[in-house]
Each structure stands twice: as structure tokens, then as C-alpha cells.
């Protein structure tokens, strides 16, 4: 039983990593400068940290195999919002960074053999998301 759980968890993590790689490629194609990926801080994890000109962009990546019943962004919670803000503030304090920043979301949906869609939502958490 334990091996089944480990295998399922590993599959889930592999899918997430694939989504983060796709998101990184998308950001580079938009001339963002990637500063860090999969950064763990005491306050939480940040999937991608990038620069869009002079603006620091903290990007959450959500990946799913299908969007038949719901979008990857539907897994975003207020708790995760708070963790990402805390992790971003921690990162900026540690690096002595001040300046503009924002939070983006990239949704990656995989089909059976290839990527079905990639959506980049800019400044997703400006203030509080409307659904909260």
C-alpha cells in the first residue's frame, strides 16, 4: 500500500515540475528574467521568481491533467495566498530588495500526450482576489 502512495505522490510531483518548466519557458519567451525556481523559505514555497523589467514577479504555477471539471486555478486558496505573500516578503527582506512586485499565476493543462493550454494571469492577487 505504501508503494502505491509513494508512486502516486511522485507522479503528482513530476507533473508539477513539468508545469513549472513550461511556465519558465513562457516567461522567458516574454523577456522575463528568471531569478529562482522552486524556492523554499521558512514562510512557504515560491514556484518562480522573475523580473519583468524592474518589477519582481512571484509566480504560482498550477498544473492539471485535464480541465474537464475545473481549472487549475480553482485549487488556489486564501491560505496559499497568505503563504505566497509571506514567502515573497521573506525573500525580499533576505535579499534587501525594495521596489515594485506582483503575483502572477500560470495555469498549465496537459492532455494525454501534450500540453493543451497555458494561461498567464498577470497580477492575480492585486489586493484580495474577488472570490474571497
Amino acid at each position: 500500500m505504501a508503494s502505491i502512495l509513494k508512486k502516486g505522490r511522485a507522479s503528482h510531483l513530476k507533473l508539477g515540475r513539468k508545469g513549472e518548466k513550461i511556465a519558465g519557458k513562457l516567461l522567458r519567451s516574454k523577456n522575463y528574467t528568471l531569478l529562482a525556481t522552486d524556492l523554499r523559505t521558512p514562510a512557504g514555497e515560491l514556484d518562480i521568481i522573475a523580473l519583468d523589467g524592474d518589477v519582481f514577479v512571484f509566480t504560482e504555477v498550477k498544473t492539471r491533467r485535464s480541465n474537464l471539471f475545473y481549472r487549475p486555478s480553482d485549487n488556489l486558496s486564501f491560505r496559499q495566498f497568505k503563504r505566497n505573500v509571506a514567502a515573497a516578503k521573506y525573500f525580499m527582506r533576505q535579499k534587501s530588495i525594495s521596489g515594485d512586485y506582483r503575483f502572477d499565476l500560470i495555469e498549465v493543462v496537459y492532455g494525454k500526450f501534450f500540453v493543451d493550454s497555458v494561461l498567464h494571469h498577470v497580477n492575480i492577487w492585486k489586493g484580495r482576489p474577488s472570490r474571497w
Side-chain angles (χ1 to χ4, degrees), residues 14-110:
K14 284 181 189 178
L15 181 65
R17 297 291 177 251
K18 286 168 73 173
E20 288 172 12
K21 285 182 182 182
I22 295 291
K25 287 179 184 179
L26 173 69
L27 293 176
R28 280 192 296 275
S29 76
K30 293 182 171 191
N31 294 320
Y32 287 46
T33 302
L34 296 188
L35 302 176
T37 58
D38 198 22
L39 180 72
R40 297 178 191 276
T41 74
E45 180 184 332
L46 296 165
D47 291 335
I48 298 175
I49 303 170
L51 274 173
D52 180 13
D54 293 336
V55 177
F56 284 87
V57 180
F58 299 96
T59 305
E60 178 68 23
V61 180
K62 291 293 187 185
T63 308
R64 291 199 32 90
R65 291 216 181 271
S66 165
N67 64 352
L68 185 60
F69 298 108
Y70 56 93
R71 300 280 324 155
S73 63
D74 291 338
N75 287 331
L76 234 49
S77 67
F78 183 66
R79 181 174 170 226
Q80 185 163 22
F81 164 70
K82 292 192 314 186
R83 271 197 321 258
N84 282 12
V85 169
K89 287 180 178 179
Y90 179 88
F91 172 81
M92 293 182 79
R93 273 193 313 272
Q94 291 299 310
K95 301 294 183 185
S96 300
I97 296 169
S98 61
D100 294 334
Y101 63 94
R102 71 172 194 253
F103 295 91
D104 287 4
L105 168 69
I106 296 179
E107 295 181 279
V108 180
V109 177
Y110 274 91

